Amino acid sequence: MTTVSVIHQVLVAEGSIEVRRQGRCGPTLVFVHYWGGSAGTWDAVVERLPADRDTVRFDQRGWGLSRALPGPYGLEQLTDDLLAVVEGLGLRTFVLVGHSMGGKVSLLAAARRPTGLVGVALLAPAPPEPPAAVTAEYRSSLSHAYDSARSVAAALDHALTATPLTGAVRSAVVRDSLNSGEDARLEWPLRGIAADVTDAARAVDVPVLVLAGEHDRVEPPHVLRRHLLPSVPRARFAVVPAGGHLLPLEAPAEVAAALEDFSAGDPLPRPPAASHARR
């Protein structure tokens, strides 16, 4: 059974965000994409959820359909936008699902303790405490990852994935990575990734699920154990076998299963099954 997405326009600072929503069964899963991603990053995950699961997807400020929204594009503004989406849709109960940069945004939003929040799921998240490896030199180099289709391809092959993306999925990732204004594209690598949000993470008072990719070269499991788990006391941690950094694209079935367990109130979702190909 296929559920049709409904498009909503939600007012945010200086404009509006187009939101895709489908399903009726809560809690609502509110998806927050990674640096370079889009609402479409989550399509394969949503397809593997129960057809009646209520889900929300949108392009963050400065990216995709939200590219024309003016700055600032920093973490606080992205957090404001996320909470404006939640409030604008009138969500009664919801789980924030943040990937990489979206994980940091989700933690900041959760720290504000919005009404109706019942959980946070973090996929290959940027940790609240930046590791020592996040130097000025590293950030400068990272800021050029999406300069061209060729540089995006190199990032996919050498950093972002452990299992190759092919065909339409790879093409969509390249397109999404290039679909931003310069200020939005540079904000995360030059500033956001280095922001220490440990105090906010410690203020989160709902259950948290953390999924790490076994072979993630951006945020490896050992980095998350050291730089995230001590700051999120209610977190539950699981490793996706064979996964890289782009878990929603590399292991959508495992992600969907973990999210269903978590949103149903399972205190410790069953470990994701091994996956060597997208299904």
Side-chain angles (χ1 to χ4, degrees):
M1 177 180 176
T2 301
T3 302
V4 177
S5 295
V6 177
I7 305 299
H8 300 263
Q9 293 291 335
V10 176
L11 294 177
V12 295
E14 305 295 331
S16 64
I17 287 178
E18 182 174 296
V19 176
R20 295 158 57 186
R21 187 178 186 185
Q22 66 186 63
R24 297 182 178 179
C25 181
T28 306
L29 301 181
V30 182
F31 293 102
V32 193
H33 66 73
Y34 74 106
W35 176 61
S38 72
T41 299
W42 302 102
D43 287 353
V45 174
V46 172
E47 289 170 2
R48 288 160 175 80
L49 292 168
D52 60 351
R53 169 61 61 197
D54 192 18
T55 63
V56 169
R57 290 165 281 169
F58 63 98
D59 295 345
Q60 294 194 76
R61 181 178 295 260
W63 295 90
L65 294 176
S66 301
R67 177 174 179 165
L69 283 174
Y73 301 103
L75 291 172
E76 290 300 324
Q77 182 61 64
L78 299 183
T79 301
D80 288 346
D81 289 345
L82 172 56
L83 293 176
V85 167
V86 168
E87 183 176 353
L89 294 175
L91 301 184
R92 296 181 62 186
T93 59
F94 61 95
V95 173
L96 298 177
V97 185
H99 176 213
S100 193
M101 177 184 80
K104 212 166 192 177
V105 174
S106 296
L107 280 175
L108 286 169
R112 298 187 192 179
R113 301 183 177 180
T115 301
L117 179 67
V118 295
V120 180
L122 305 174
L123 280 57
E129 179 188 53
V134 181
T135 62
E137 292 77 15
Y138 171 80
R139 289 184 282 126
S140 177
S141 175
L142 183 62
S143 71
H144 295 290
Y146 300 156
D147 281 354
S148 66
R150 177 174 293 185
S151 66
V152 175
L156 284 170
D157 294 336
H158 302 297
L160 292 176
T161 62
T163 54
L165 304 180
T166 59
V169 174
R170 184 181 178 92
S171 296
V173 171
V174 173
R175 182 177 64 249
D176 286 347
S177 301
L178 299 174
N179 195 11
S180 73
E182 182 178 13
D183 289 346
R185 175 171 56 84
L186 294 177
E187 176 62 34
W188 172 251
L190 295 184
R191 285 169 286 275
I193 195 173
D196 190 326
V197 300
T198 301
D199 288 345
R202 289 174 176 158
V204 175
D205 65 346
V206 294
V208 177
L209 168 67
V210 181
L211 295 182
E214 179 184 14
H215 302 308
D216 188 341
R217 287 170 281 188
V218 179
E219 307 294 356
H222 73 271
V223 167
L224 297 180
R225 288 189 178 100
R226 180 173 181 179
H227 294 276
L228 185 147
L229 294 184
S231 304
V232 187
R234 296 189 65 180
R236 299 293 184 266
F237 187 78
V239 175
V240 179
H245 190 62
L246 299 188
L247 289 178
L249 300 167
E250 295 181 77
E254 291 82 354
V255 169
L259 291 177
E260 268 304 293
D261 284 349
F262 183 62
S263 61
D266 187 329
L268 183 59
R270 57 182 178 271
S275 171
H276 298 281
R278 295 174 306 282
R279 290 179 291 284

